[in-house]
Amino acid sequence: MAAALQRSNWSAVQLGGRRNEEQMKIIGAVLIVVGLVALAFGGIGWTERKKVVDIGPIQAERQEHHMLPLSPIFGGVAVAAGVILLVAGSRTRT
C-alpha cells in the first residue's frame, strides 16, 4: 500500500514538473533583478502623482516620492536565491 501511494505521489510531481521548472526560472530571474536593484540603489523608489485641484481648466498635481529601502543583506540573499532557483529550474531530469 505504501509503495503504491509513493508511486502515485511521484507521478503527480512528474506531471507538473515542466511547468514548475519554468516557474522556478521566472521567479529566479525576478529575484536576481530585485536583488541587483537592492544592491545597486539601496532600495526601490517610485513617484506617485495625485490631483490636488481639478476645477475645469485649472488642475494642480502633487508628486510624492516614495522609497522602499532594502538592505544589502536582502539584496545578496535575493541574488543567491535567484541563482539557485534558476539553476534548479534549468536542470534536465532523466
Side-chain angles (χ1 to χ4, degrees):
M1 177 73 172
L5 187 59
Q6 286 177 345
R7 274 188 252 132
S8 67
N9 287 340
W10 177 248
S11 63
V13 170
Q14 286 179 331
L15 288 176
R18 179 64 60 194
R19 188 174 49 174
N20 287 341
E21 290 173 2
E22 292 173 6
Q23 290 173 350
M24 285 174 52
K25 287 181 188 178
I26 292 170
I27 293 170
V30 168
L31 280 174
I32 290 171
V33 169
V34 170
L36 291 175
V37 167
L39 288 172
F41 299 109
I44 300 171
W46 69 93
T47 302
E48 183 179 356
R49 291 183 178 183
K50 292 185 177 182
K51 285 189 179 182
V52 177
V53 176
D54 188 8
I55 304 171
I58 301 173
Q59 295 180 357
E61 290 184 348
R62 177 179 65 175
Q63 291 184 353
E64 289 185 16
H65 300 285
H66 300 281
M67 182 70 168
L68 177 64
L70 300 172
S71 72
I73 295 172
F74 170 79
V77 169
V79 169
V83 168
I84 290 170
L85 285 176
L86 204 58
V87 168
S90 297
R91 285 197 174 161
T92 57
R93 297 181 187 227
T94 56

